[in-house]
Amino acid sequence: MNESWEGFAGRMQRLNPLFELGRGMEVGELKPYLQTILMQVLLTIFYRELNDDDHRRKSDIKYMVEDTMKQMKLLADEKQVERITSGLLYSGKEEYSQPFEAYYYDEVRQSWETQVFRYVTMDELYTNLEIGSSIVYKLTDIAQEMIFMSREMAEEFSITIEQLYSIQLIKNGNFLKATRNLDHLISRVNRLMAKEFSFQQEMINNPKILLIEAERQRADNRIEIEKQFEEEKNHFRTITSMIEKTKRQNAEDDLIHRELVLLQEKIGHSRQLHDRFAKLVIQNISYEIKLKAENPSLFWENSLVSFREHIYENWFLKEGVQSFTDVETILSPLFSPKNEFILPLDWIWGEQEFDEKEEMEVVEEDEEKERLAYQRITNWDSVVKAWSYVFQYLQTHQEFSLTNLKELPYEVQDLWFEESETIDLWMMFDKKPLKVQVLHRKEETINDEREILLYKLMQEYPQFTKFEGLKIYTEFDHRAEPFLWYEMKITPFKICIEEEIR
Amino acid sequence: MNAEIIKKASAVYFSLLKEKVIDETSEHFQDYFEPEVRQTVLLMADESGTYIIETPKQIHLVVQPTGSVFATNFTHMRDKHNQVETKKHFHLMSVVLMSFLASIDQNQAAKVRAKREGISYYSLERQVNDLMMNWDKILKTDPNFGTEERIDMKDVVTTWKYMEVDREDFSLKKANKRTRIGLIASSMRLLETEGLVVILDRDDIPKAIPKQELFERIEYLYHDYDRYEFMKKLVTQKEHMHAEDTQD
């Protein structure tokens, strides 16, 4: 075979992502500039990654596109910006979040193969899975390689070569460039570290990956990684001593001095990263040994059946279902048993005892469902009747404690359970003091349920018009014990009235 | 069996019932792995119609396919929605769940990393649609088309076919169960409340990211040959019973 064919597939796989960048987007007159714009965006993401800046969400990438275009004196509307952004993230329609595809010719197999890749991927270290917010993106290896390639540092670039390069740059007095070069070194370590980290997660979660050939090779390489680290340290020492020397030589030159300090700081940072990386690698090795020693069975079991093939493809998809009970049989064991039973009233009262915020959320959800299900109609007659006893008491004693409920005649107590509104109103009074001003208003204009109650009370029992102008407030007795009233746990508080100070 | 063991075992079992999953930081985790305690817990689990899933870092409690003395979220839901239309809705949700499981299921752990991207609701919609179109074909070519026993499936297919994918109106989009995306959202929410998936980019193009717990359950439930055979038997048994019924 002609030597021009050697490693052809590999070359093409490197170049394809470059060729494909920004292709197939319909953005009209912007088309010729797409690659330049996107390359700048990739660089921006790259540097943000480097600086541990997590502003790499989709919305941030959109801003990067906008900024870049502004800088390049290009004009675009919202839609074009959107399109360019999603075009970097996914191939084709954004909704399907598909990866990019390109063909390459494999000279060994003598066939056309498909290469699947992405430019950006989820950064697991920054994306908060617990909160479930937006995805933070980082460059894929492929995109990062594009950036390295653009620096003419394509082939197999190892940390050591980088080191030598830095030394060379320092010798030539090009400190700023050396600093930048260290950036790449740092990113390289970051990358290795992230890989090692996710390998660790996977190993813990699924020890079987240790059986997969490629991963085992990685494991074998561990010792070599360590050796390389030793070399790293030596190189760092060389750079540091060289910096010291240059420093002494150029003690008066402020600019050089400043650059050197910067460089030194970067080296320190980079060294720390390497140390962290080394620790991670060693940790992984020990995990691996531990896993193998303690859970050997994990490595024997091999799945004979799979959900995808045996259940979904061969049965569900192909044959359909006779009855959906079968589907349920299959799916229900995915779920944990649940034996929740909450007494609704108990729960409502609980609001007084626990943190209000927490409870509020739950209540909201349920209320929505209820509202959909049926419209609740309150029988105000019953509510008013039940409450008339309270106000009667209030009129003579100026205060009414919840504990008194128990002492009301039984037939009155029964009234309290006819309408849930009756009991709910207690909570309303607990909210904030109410100045009674309802007598001369129209019923339709009253929103506060307490005012509605008072209005209705006054209509029904003229003696209650005396409450007009008074302030009704609640007082909590800290010494009082919560008491049980028909399976409801009640925290006692008092409703009091206060005459307006004239 | 001594009282101490039973005490420990029930402490483990009931905390599992409360927490669904306990991990190695729990005091019960260690207790569980005492052989006698473990035996007892397994016995309790079996008697109450539940399975215990053991993984290196966690223990899960799930219900058996034949049902448990405890209601599950899943059965709960069906009870709540007993009208015909919502039952159909429930069936549709089951279909979505099946498709979702299939799309994240894999034998090779190495693929896990690729799947971390999550599945967007829209690509899930495509997948379910492929399934529905396939069923549609089956229903059309099958001579039994329209007979009693397949009425469920036909209903589900028809409902799906006439469902809008999405609403343009953004404000309606969120809670709308009548669209395909809305349906997928409620199915994923079911898994989310169970702690099996994480939903990201909710306000943009939502994606469901399977959590390790879900992979563990899939592995335990569907990758075990004996359990697979057992489930197959359950399903085919019912089919036979059904077939006999209609013959009579």
Side-chain angles (χ1 to χ4, degrees):
Chain A
M1 201 192 268
N2 188 322
E3 61 188 355
S4 70
W5 281 107
E6 216 169 279
F8 183 69
R11 273 178 212 266
M12 285 318 293
Q13 285 182 68
R14 280 235 156 96
L15 290 172
N16 270 338
L18 273 173
F19 294 163
E20 290 295 316
L21 189 63
R23 240 175 69 166
M25 281 186 222
E26 272 160 41
V27 283
E29 72 287 355
L30 283 172
K31 206 170 171 119
Y33 312 112
L34 273 179
Q35 296 193 327
T36 317
I37 298 167
L38 288 177
M39 192 66 194
Q40 174 55 33
V41 172
L42 284 177
L43 276 164
T44 314
I45 301 175
F46 174 75
Y47 278 103
R48 291 207 177 160
E49 248 182 83
L50 219 54
N51 297 321
D52 293 330
D53 180 347
D54 68 349
H55 286 94
R56 290 178 262 129
R57 295 179 174 84
K58 191 183 152 198
S59 51
D60 301 312
I61 296 178
K62 216 177 107 186
Y63 287 129
M64 290 179 207
V65 172
E66 266 172 345
D67 270 3
T68 308
M69 292 180 57
K70 210 184 277 170
Q71 185 82 22
M72 292 174 177
K73 301 189 176 58
L74 294 168
L75 286 171
D77 57 33
E78 182 76 7
K79 235 178 163 177
Q80 285 169 315
V81 173
E82 285 270 359
R83 182 68 193 95
I84 295 172
T85 308
S86 75
L88 182 68
L89 265 48
Y90 313 109
S91 156
K93 261 194 147 177
E94 189 180 4
E95 288 95 286
Y96 307 139
S97 309
Q98 271 164 350
F100 297 87
E101 281 184 12
Y103 301 109
Y104 65 93
Y105 186 76
D106 191 315
E107 78 281 2
V108 183
R109 286 192 229 169
Q110 305 214 356
S111 61
W112 282 94
E113 305 285 336
T114 313
Q115 179 188 2
V116 180
F117 62 92
R118 285 180 197 274
Y119 295 103
V120 290
T121 177
M122 179 164 98
D123 191 339
E124 277 161 52
L125 289 176
Y126 286 94
T127 306
N128 196 328
L129 290 173
E130 299 310 316
I131 296 177
S133 54
S134 321
I135 295 180
V136 176
Y137 291 98
K138 65 172 182 187
L139 297 190
T140 58
D141 286 348
I142 278 175
Q144 194 156 49
E145 201 160 75
M146 283 164 57
I147 285 173
F148 289 143
M149 266 158 87
S150 66
R151 281 181 68 245
E152 297 158 57
M153 285 291 292
E155 298 284 303
E156 295 302 313
F157 124 16
S158 71
I159 294 172
T160 349
I161 294 175
E162 277 282 274
Q163 287 299 318
L164 291 169
Y165 190 58
S166 307
I167 293 169
Q168 207 55 43
L169 290 171
I170 293 170
K171 273 187 186 151
N172 295 338
N174 196 341
F175 308 116
L176 204 67
K177 215 171 162 194
T179 324
R180 263 200 214 125
N181 195 39
L182 265 176
D183 283 347
H184 289 272
L185 175 66
I186 291 168
S187 103
R188 192 89 199 162
V189 171
N190 272 336
R191 190 135 306 244
L192 281 171
M193 205 141 58
K195 258 192 194 161
E196 206 61 28
F197 179 74
S198 63
F199 175 68
Q200 185 180 73
Q201 293 302 90
E202 279 173 33
M203 181 165 59
I204 293 165
N205 294 334
N206 191 349
K208 277 180 202 153
I209 58 163
L210 294 173
L211 292 183
I212 294 161
E213 201 50 40
E215 299 288 356
R216 183 154 45 185
Q217 272 172 7
R218 268 176 53 98
D220 290 341
N221 287 338
R222 291 284 157 70
I223 315 291
E224 277 176 52
I225 294 177
E226 271 191 273
K227 255 190 217 154
Q228 203 173 341
F229 270 118
E230 274 314 300
E231 264 177 64
E232 293 306 322
K233 278 188 186 161
N234 291 335
H235 281 298
F236 279 134
R237 216 164 294 147
T238 326
I239 297 183
T240 322
S241 72
M242 254 156 62
I243 291 174
E244 285 304 319
K245 219 166 90 193
T246 330
K247 242 190 196 166
R248 260 177 273 125
Q249 279 165 3
N250 301 285
E252 313 86 55
D253 193 330
D254 250 13
L255 192 72
I256 293 179
H257 199 76
R258 240 181 296 146
E259 278 182 3
L260 280 173
V261 171
L262 203 69
L263 186 57
Q264 223 166 6
E265 273 170 16
K266 272 233 156 104
I267 287 170
H269 176 57
S270 165
R271 268 193 74 163
Q272 272 174 12
L273 284 177
H274 276 84
D275 288 347
R276 244 153 69 188
F277 177 45
K279 214 171 133 196
L280 200 62
V281 171
I282 292 163
Q283 219 175 46
N284 277 356
I285 294 172
S286 77
Y287 266 135
E288 200 179 317
I289 292 167
K290 208 175 131 200
L291 274 172
K292 280 181 178 159
E294 289 177 6
N295 304 294
S297 67
L298 287 171
F299 300 94
W300 305 332
E301 284 170 22
N302 235 334
S303 299
L304 284 166
V305 284
S306 81
F307 181 85
R308 192 195 185 101
E309 197 190 330
H310 292 82
I311 299 180
Y312 191 79
E313 284 170 1
N314 290 346
W315 169 68
F316 197 61
L317 179 74
K318 216 189 262 173
E319 293 172 24
V321 283
Q322 296 283 343
S323 149
F324 272 92
T325 325
D326 297 342
V327 184
E328 220 177 298
T329 306
I330 288 170
L331 287 178
S332 58
L334 270 182
F335 297 89
S336 295
K338 205 170 201 175
N339 57 333
E340 63 174 344
F341 181 67
I342 302 167
L343 228 169
L345 279 176
D346 201 12
W347 185 42
I348 291 167
W349 286 107
E351 219 179 327
Q352 292 169 24
E353 291 172 66
F354 304 115
D355 183 27
E356 206 170 336
K357 258 188 206 156
E358 259 181 34
E359 293 287 329
M360 286 301 276
E361 275 171 22
V362 188
V363 174
E364 249 173 33
E365 238 184 54
D366 235 47
E367 262 177 8
E368 241 171 48
K369 269 184 224 151
E370 269 180 27
R371 231 175 267 149
L372 279 175
Y374 58 96
Q375 196 78 34
R376 248 180 43 195
I377 298 160
T378 310
N379 176 5
W380 275 98
D381 286 347
S382 156
V383 180
V384 168
K385 206 161 174 200
W387 276 87
S388 65
Y389 290 91
V390 175
F391 278 89
Q392 221 174 321
Y393 197 90
L394 271 172
Q395 223 175 1
T396 38
H397 298 87
Q398 317 297 311
E399 58 174 55
F400 180 90
S401 167
L402 266 179
T403 36
N404 296 358
L405 277 177
K406 274 203 297 199
E407 284 135 31
L408 289 171
Y410 282 121
E411 60 271 25
V412 179
Q413 289 193 26
D414 287 345
L415 261 178
W416 281 81
F417 292 98
E418 272 178 16
E419 281 294 319
S420 63
E421 199 79 18
T422 309
I423 287 171
D424 289 352
L425 268 161
W426 273 114
M427 249 91 61
M428 310 279 293
F429 277 106
D430 194 27
K431 267 188 191 161
K432 55 175 191 236
L434 173 79
K435 191 167 174 207
V436 185
Q437 270 169 327
V438 294
L439 197 52
H440 306 292
R441 287 164 70 182
K442 281 207 179 93
E443 197 187 337
E444 308 87 74
T445 60
I446 306 174
N447 292 323
D448 192 316
E449 303 231 340
R450 295 173 296 181
E451 290 185 327
I452 296 178
L453 172 71
L454 275 152
Y455 179 85
K456 287 188 184 286
L457 275 169
M458 290 180 194
Q459 299 292 317
E460 194 72 33
Y461 311 92
Q463 73 264 34
F464 292 140
T465 48
K466 285 186 187 147
F467 282 98
E468 180 79 4
L470 299 184
K471 199 171 97 181
I472 300 182
Y473 64 99
T474 55
E475 208 169 67
F476 185 74
D477 184 358
H478 289 276
R479 281 159 310 176
E481 294 283 318
F483 69 99
L484 275 172
W485 185 48
Y486 294 101
E487 294 179 22
M488 277 192 293
K489 196 172 169 196
I490 295 174
T491 316
F493 59 81
K494 286 187 290 191
I495 289 186
C496 313
I497 50 168
E498 184 187 279
E499 296 206 22
E500 205 177 11
I501 303 148
R502 288 167 214 229
Chain B
M1 210 179 292
N2 78 49
E4 188 59 27
I5 300 285
I6 293 174
K7 205 175 141 193
K8 264 191 191 170
S10 31
V12 172
Y13 186 77
F14 285 107
S15 78
L16 268 169
L17 197 57
K18 204 171 140 219
E19 313 281 340
K20 300 175 187 178
V21 176
I22 56 177
D23 66 10
E24 51 175 356
T25 58
S26 161
E27 50 172 325
H28 302 298
F29 190 82
Q30 292 309 325
D31 288 348
Y32 174 79
F33 282 103
E34 282 175 36
E36 281 177 86
V37 175
R38 185 171 168 274
Q39 277 310 316
T40 316
V41 174
L42 287 175
L43 193 76
M44 292 169 91
D46 199 47
E47 286 301 315
S48 60
T50 50
Y51 282 143
I52 302 258
I53 300 178
E54 295 167 20
T55 68
K57 299 258 162 182
Q58 295 185 130
I59 311 169
H60 310 218
L61 184 73
V62 296
V63 295
Q64 287 183 7
T66 42
S68 148
V69 295
F70 306 105
T72 72
N73 243 350
F74 210 52
T75 55
H76 247 65
M77 233 184 49
R78 199 181 51 159
D79 291 345
K80 273 187 200 161
H81 303 269
N82 49 9
Q83 302 115 306
V84 184
E85 204 179 75
T86 37
K87 192 172 168 192
K88 199 158 51 188
H89 185 244
F90 177 75
H91 291 335
L92 275 165
M93 282 172 77
S94 312
V95 174
V96 171
L97 290 180
M98 291 292 280
S99 284
F100 179 71
L101 290 185
S103 64
I104 61 162
D105 187 39
Q106 59 251 308
N107 284 323
Q108 275 176 304
K111 284 188 195 157
V112 173
R113 197 180 295 162
K115 296 295 175 192
R116 291 259 166 87
E117 301 284 337
I119 312 266
S120 86
Y121 286 4
Y122 289 90
S123 45
L124 191 52
E125 188 270 334
R126 283 292 93 193
Q127 176 132 355
V128 176
N129 197 55
D130 289 347
L131 174 96
M132 292 294 188
M133 290 308 114
N134 206 52
W135 281 7
D136 201 28
K137 248 191 326 206
I138 298 174
L139 287 167
K140 276 186 182 134
T141 51
D142 199 313
N144 293 333
F145 168 72
T147 55
E148 287 277 313
E149 73 255 37
R150 297 234 164 160
I151 207 80
D152 266 3
M153 198 168 118
K154 198 184 154 203
D155 234 23
V156 162
V157 172
T158 321
T159 314
W160 175 265
K161 267 166 74 181
Y162 294 107
M163 242 182 181
E164 266 177 85
V165 173
D166 211 338
R167 281 274 163 84
E168 289 292 313
D169 191 343
F170 197 76
S171 57
L172 278 172
K173 192 158 129 189
K174 270 193 173 159
N176 204 321
K177 287 177 185 168
R178 308 245 168 256
T179 66
R180 292 183 186 177
I181 295 301
L183 175 82
I184 286 167
S186 34
S187 316
M188 290 302 109
R189 211 181 120 65
L190 194 62
L191 292 181
E192 192 192 21
T193 36
E194 190 69 19
L196 300 178
V197 299
V198 170
I199 314 286
L200 292 181
D201 288 351
R202 220 181 275 266
D203 301 326
D204 190 21
I205 290 173
K207 299 164 190 77
I209 321 271
K211 285 176 74 175
Q212 193 53 37
E213 283 82 353
L214 182 58
F215 287 124
E216 283 169 2
R217 291 191 189 183
I218 291 174
E219 172 84 24
Y220 176 88
L221 293 168
Y222 311 120
H223 289 180
D224 179 285
Y225 191 73
D226 292 338
R227 245 180 310 275
Y228 168 69
E229 284 290 309
F230 173 61
M231 264 194 224
K232 215 168 92 182
K233 221 170 90 191
L234 278 179
V235 169
T236 46
Q237 236 172 28
K238 270 192 220 122
E239 276 176 15
H240 283 310
M241 274 162 56
H242 208 90
E244 274 168 21
D245 280 356
T246 49
Q247 265 165 17
D248 284 348

